[in-house]
Structures are given as structure tokens and as C-alpha cells.
Amino acid sequence: MTRFTPTTADDVLSTVQWALAEEARLEVVGHGSKRAIGHMVDAEHQIDLSSLTGITLYEPEELVLSARAGTPVAEIEALLAEHSQRLDFEPMDYGPLLGGEAGRGTIGGLLATNLAGPRRLKAGSARDHVLGIQAVSGRGEAFKSGGRVVKNVTGYDLSKGLAGSWGTLAVVTDVTFKVLPATETEKTLLLTGLDDAAATTAMAEAMGSSGEVSGAAHLPEGVKGSFIGGALPGAATVLRVEGFGPSVDYRIDLLARLLKPLGAAEVLDAEQSRTLWREIRDVKPFSDGSEAPVWRVSVAPTVGHQLVDAFRRAAGANAYYDWQGGLVWMRMEADPEAEILRKLIDHMGGGHATLIRASEKLRAATPVFLPQPAALAALSARLKEQFDPKNILNFGRMVSTAEGAKVADVSLTGGPS
């Protein structure tokens, strides 16, 4: 395998044009922190963007930042923190869950996988904050979309369209994101001892209140010991509130009074709260260095606990809930159990299940991303034809060759991130 390491957008363009002329497939990678998600790419060569780095524009007063695709997210977040700003969608770090180092993810990979964290229920994901991109399509053509301000709408939807495409449509070389001021402080209200159903009710009441909750999760007894050094006193339902100090205190008190009938409550201070939500974001309970299958399941918040309960009647799994119960992280005790899981999701009104971690053998034998209905698969095939007609970019990543990856190796519904 030949490994190309471009340092400029022109280098990327010439590499893709060479691959197109040779009809040679390319695997698109950054630091490889998310390489173990999806199927193994069927490619003779690799284009490594880890040297395509640098923050090219940062205007704190305009709330805009541009960077080359290989720039580490950790570097960007450090710069933003110096100016009391942040990526508001709180992108997760898959590294530890997949057996790698923390802080290795790149800004290009962030967009390609449409990352988000616990604040997704309030702030959205990468797709909702990208302002513009520069990229090279599988046709060997450089193109731009969007710009530096939200009002610049020329091609704006194309920037969003590449979010979650997993490098199967184009090689992104530069990205521009909207950034936002960081909050002054935060606290987390912790309700103890609730079962999954009662926790679902509590989170729904909190989200429907004027408490302006920016994170709502439930950590059952089976996983609570993995968080903040095992300090949680039993099953924990946690509600995060952010903002100015007096406002945070008022809203925490409001939530405590609202939810008092459901049981005892404690309050985590800012430092404890930040640690807890970072661990929830990065799936700390299942970041154990094993290859035990881990699924990322997105369903309606009211049915997440019902899904887990029904699944456990057929197979073994451990689980916890984010996004008010709408995001369920599940670690299987044995095989991925994809068929059982996806049938239950359909039965409960629909959603997505993505196999995030498994051995190479299990990944090859399992539909990692949600199989598409015929109409959507046809649309995906047409989209792939427009961007990458020769299938030279990340071939097999989203649909394995065993599943028949011919032209439709891109998913518009690979699962919310």
C-alpha cells in the first residue's frame, strides 16, 4: 500500500487526480482515531491528512474559526478556551473507546463523522455549526461550499451534506465552523436510585421545564461506578445546567423542587460536572480496551429504556442513556446481535443503530450502519455517482463488499452523531 501524506490542498488534488486516472482506490484517514468504525476499506493506497494542519483563520469577535482538515480537535479546543469560547456541539472523542489515545481526532474527521456530545439535544451536531468547506471530489475536482458567515448561503447545504459521509464523497481539505462563547459555570443535579422508566420521566419533565437543561442522562447501577471515580451513590439521573452563576443556581433549585417527588437530589459542582459529562460523552464505562461489541443506538427518548428491557429478554447487554434517553450506548456480552436489535428498533417506531466497536471479523460480517430502504439507497447511489463515480474514496467503509458495495457506498442515514 502506498501512503500519500499531502501538506497542501493542491497536494490532495493531485493525489486524487492520480488515483482517478489509475482507477486506484484511496483510504482517507487523519490520525486514524475512528478508523475502527465501519467496515474495512477496500483500497490499494492511503491518503493521510495528518500533515495537512494549521488554524488558518480565527476571529473571536466574529465567532468563526477555519482550519485545515488534519488539525487536531484538541488543539482547536485549547485555542478556543484561551478566548472563553468553544465548539458548542461538544464533539466526543472516540479514541479511548476504540483502544486508542485521547485527543487524536481531527477537525476533518469531526465533520466526516458528524460528531456531537451530550449537548446535542440543545446545540445540535457538527452539521449544524459548519459554515463552509473546501474539498476535492472523487472526480478529481476541487470545490468550495459555504463561507465564513451564516448569511453566505451559496452551497451551504453541501457543507452540511458532507457531514456524516465518512469520507466516501470527497476529501475535505479545509473547514470553517461557527464557535460560541463558553458558559461561565455549570452544575449538575443528580437524582439517585431511579429505575430506567422513572429516570425517563424525570428527564422529560426537566427538559419540558424552564430549567434550560443542556445535558440529560441516566446511568444505571451497572455502569455508575465507572464515572467520576465511582463517586456516584447508585443509579444516577443527571441534569446539567450552564450559564452565569446566579442563573445556574436558580435553575438548579427550580429543577430540584420540580423533581422532589421522584427522590433525593444532590448537586455536583462545576469541576465534578465537567468531569462527569466528559466521561458520559466519551463512553468511559465501555472504554475498557476490549473488543466487546458496542452499539450506538438513537431512538425516541421515551422508548430507549423499553428497547433495552426488551433486548435483555433475548440477549445480554449493559447500557446507559444520553440525550434524555434518546441515545443508548449498549455493550453486548457476546455477538453484535444486529438482527435482534434492529428488529426491536423498528418495532418501537424507528431509529438508528451503528456498530461502533467490534473485532474485524464481526465488523466484516455485520451491517455496521443501518441498511437503507430501496428508495433511499437509490438516492445514495445517485449522490455517490455525482461525487465519486469510480468509487475511489473509502470504498467499502459504509457498505461492505460482502453486502454488495458497488456504487452506493454512502449513507444519508448512517445514524445521527
Side-chain angles (χ1 to χ4, degrees), residues 83-402:
H83 294 82
S84 299
Q85 293 182 344
R86 69 187 184 190
L87 295 169
D88 205 42
F89 53 98
E90 199 174 7
M92 75 170 294
D93 185 348
Y94 273 117
L97 177 63
L98 299 174
E101 299 177 32
R104 296 281 290 169
T106 64
I107 195 70
L110 179 158
L111 179 66
T113 55
N114 192 32
L115 288 188
R119 207 177 289 116
R120 169 71 184 263
L121 48 74
K122 181 179 180 181
S125 64
R127 177 182 291 118
D128 302 294
H129 294 256
V130 64
L131 296 175
I133 55 98
Q134 297 181 41
V136 177
S137 73
R139 291 179 176 272
E141 299 170 342
F143 65 94
K144 298 179 181 180
S145 174
R148 289 171 45 188
V149 294
V150 175
K151 290 186 292 184
N152 184 350
V153 296
T154 303
Y156 186 59
D157 285 343
L158 185 54
S159 301
K160 292 177 179 290
L162 290 184
S165 62
W166 292 82
T168 60
L169 297 178
V171 183
V172 173
T173 59
D174 297 84
V175 293
T176 300
F177 275 99
K178 172 177 62 178
V179 299
L180 288 173
T183 53
E184 178 184 90
T185 191
E186 67 177 69
K187 289 183 178 180
T188 292
L189 185 72
L190 185 155
L191 303 174
T192 60
L194 301 184
D195 62 24
D196 292 3
T200 299
T201 299
M203 290 188 288
E205 289 191 25
M207 293 303 300
S209 75
S210 57
E212 296 182 48
V213 174
S214 68
H218 177 60
L219 316 173
E221 180 74 27
V223 301
K224 60 90 180 177
S226 300
F227 293 102
I228 53 176
L232 301 182
T237 306
V238 290
L239 304 165
R240 179 176 59 186
V241 174
E242 300 177 289
F244 295 105
S247 173
V248 168
D249 290 339
Y250 171 80
R251 287 180 284 136
I252 283 285
D253 182 64
L254 180 152
L255 290 170
R257 286 185 281 109
L258 173 68
L259 301 173
K260 186 175 181 180
L262 293 175
E266 301 179 20
V267 178
L268 302 182
D269 62 24
E271 182 178 353
Q272 291 175 310
S273 179
R274 291 189 184 102
T275 299
L276 173 63
W277 288 99
R278 184 168 56 250
E279 292 175 348
I280 291 172
R281 181 196 73 178
D282 295 342
V283 202
K284 187 174 186 292
F286 305 153
S287 301
D288 52 8
S290 75
E291 289 188 331
V294 173
W295 286 91
R296 186 178 187 277
V297 181
S298 180
V299 292
T302 55
V303 303
H305 71 285
Q306 298 174 20
L307 172 74
V308 172
D309 181 63
F311 182 87
R312 284 173 172 161
R313 298 176 190 179
N318 204 354
Y320 75 92
Y321 310 84
D322 197 0
W323 299 357
Q324 193 198 328
L327 174 61
V328 186
W329 287 102
M330 299 179 67
R331 180 176 60 193
M332 305 305 182
E333 293 183 358
D335 290 344
E337 306 289 3
E339 185 175 357
I340 295 174
L341 181 59
R342 286 182 167 138
K343 282 184 177 179
L344 283 172
I345 290 172
D346 289 341
H347 178 70
M348 293 185 178
H352 298 273
T354 304
L355 182 60
I356 297 298
R357 186 182 73 191
S359 66
E360 287 187 17
K361 180 179 179 180
L362 290 177
R363 285 163 57 200
T366 306
V368 172
F369 297 94
L370 179 71
Q372 296 179 323
L376 190 53
L379 177 61
S380 293
R382 292 198 298 272
L383 185 64
K384 180 69 169 176
E385 175 68 22
Q386 291 299 312
F387 278 88
D388 183 22
K390 297 292 186 180
N391 282 305
I392 64 170
L393 300 179
N394 272 1
F395 182 75
R397 181 68 181 270
M398 301 191 77
V399 182
S400 72
T401 51

Side-chain angles (χ1 to χ4, degrees), residues 53-57 65-71 76 107 173-176:
T53 62
I55 296 169
T56 56
L57 170 77
L65 180 144
S66 299
R68 296 188 178 94
T71 308
I76 290 171
I107 195 70
T173 59
D174 297 84
V175 293
T176 300

